[in-house]
Amino acid sequence: MRTNGSSVATRTAIAAAALLGIGMLNACGPDNSGEQNAAPSTAATAAGTAAASGAAAQPSTAAAKPSSAGPAVSKDIPAGAWINPRAIPLDATYKWPAPAAGAKGVSGKPTFKLQELCHSKLSQDNESLGAGRAAAQSVIGAGGADQWQAQQTLLYQGDPRPSSGIAQSAHLVLGDLEDEVKNCAKTVPGATVKVTSPADAMYFAATVTVPQAGGTTVTLHEYLTAPDGTVNELSLWTAAKTGAQPKVPWAGPADADVTKAMDSALCDTLKDC
């Protein structure tokens, strides 16, 4: 009987220990209501400490700072993707600001400057490619009517490394835009077009004049590239009375140097060339 009493006592002690363990699990784990008393995560504790001390989170340097006047720039188009302003023609006169500083995301299909002036759009076959994965635009300089202005537009189709179809999409859009420039005289009566890039160049450049209502003519210097997955447009234009020369004479690097700067910024940043 002493032996049986000892066994009963032992079993009782084991059961009590098990019940105690279950109670501890209920105290630390989730209950049926979904509430949980577990200690906060290290990340949450750090965030609370930073907030209590007044420390602000540092913005990422990988993405362009969105303009407060427009939608945020997509993370797919980081600040480094925009051309170095020192490489933009007429920088000696205008000291252009960094395009990333004024970049705005574009919802849907961006309107390239050449399309605005030539009243053109992508062909029906390639219209669906006009939105891409992300798009952004930056008005780099906006002087008076008799001053040169600059704008860059980026249409990102995606990373071309997994599939050659991405690069093909970008080049289809590029080809359409080139045709729109060449046909500007057909869409705007009185327009003139002078293609300045060689036929076998990996870029496209042209000078276009487009008459406007009111007796003025816009002179546009247009640069287009598509290094793999991104369509890249840089436009500089000014308006003057028809027949008159721009107030500031045109001067700048060779077309190949401008487009090289456009491409190198994209290639170095997006690593897709």
Side-chain angles (χ1 to χ4, degrees), residues 150-210:
Q151 177 178 285
Q152 187 175 11
T153 302
L154 297 178
L155 175 61
Y156 179 65
Q157 296 288 349
D159 187 344
R161 288 171 291 187
S163 170
S164 61
I166 296 294
Q168 292 172 2
S169 295
H171 283 85
L172 284 172
V173 174
L174 175 66
D176 252 28
L177 294 176
E178 291 179 2
D179 289 342
E180 290 176 52
V181 173
K182 295 174 182 178
N183 293 324
C184 192
K186 296 179 181 179
T187 53
V188 180
T192 66
V193 179
K194 179 182 180 182
V195 176
T196 56
S197 53
D200 60 348
M202 298 298 292
Y203 63 88
F204 179 81
T207 302
V208 185
T209 62
V210 186

Side-chain angles (χ1 to χ4, degrees), residues 54-183:
Q58 294 299 315
S60 170
T61 57
K65 182 180 179 181
S67 168
S68 59
V73 176
S74 167
K75 65 181 180 181
D76 292 315
I77 303 180
W82 302 87
I83 188 174
N84 184 331
R86 304 289 76 82
I88 300 174
L90 299 174
D91 180 66
T93 300
Y94 291 99
K95 303 298 180 186
W96 304 111
K104 300 177 185 178
V106 176
S107 299
K109 301 172 185 176
T111 299
F112 292 87
K113 190 64 186 182
L114 72 91
Q115 294 178 318
E116 178 187 328
L117 290 174
C118 293
H119 303 165
S120 61
K121 61 182 181 179
L122 295 179
S123 67
Q124 188 174 3
D125 290 342
N126 297 322
E127 185 179 4
S128 62
L129 303 176
R133 174 172 168 173
Q137 199 166 66
S138 177
V139 177
I140 304 167
D146 57 350
Q147 298 293 325
W148 289 93
Q149 302 177 62
Q151 177 178 285
Q152 187 175 11
T153 302
L154 297 178
L155 175 61
Y156 179 65
Q157 296 288 349
D159 187 344
R161 288 171 291 187
S163 170
S164 61
I166 296 294
Q168 292 172 2
S169 295
H171 283 85
L172 284 172
V173 174
L174 175 66
D176 252 28
L177 294 176
E178 291 179 2
D179 289 342
E180 290 176 52
V181 173
K182 295 174 182 178
N183 293 324

Side-chain angles (χ1 to χ4, degrees), residues 234-253:
L234 178 66
S235 303
L236 290 96
W237 71 95
T238 188
K241 286 186 177 182
T242 299
Q245 295 297 315
K247 184 175 181 179
V248 176
W250 176 257

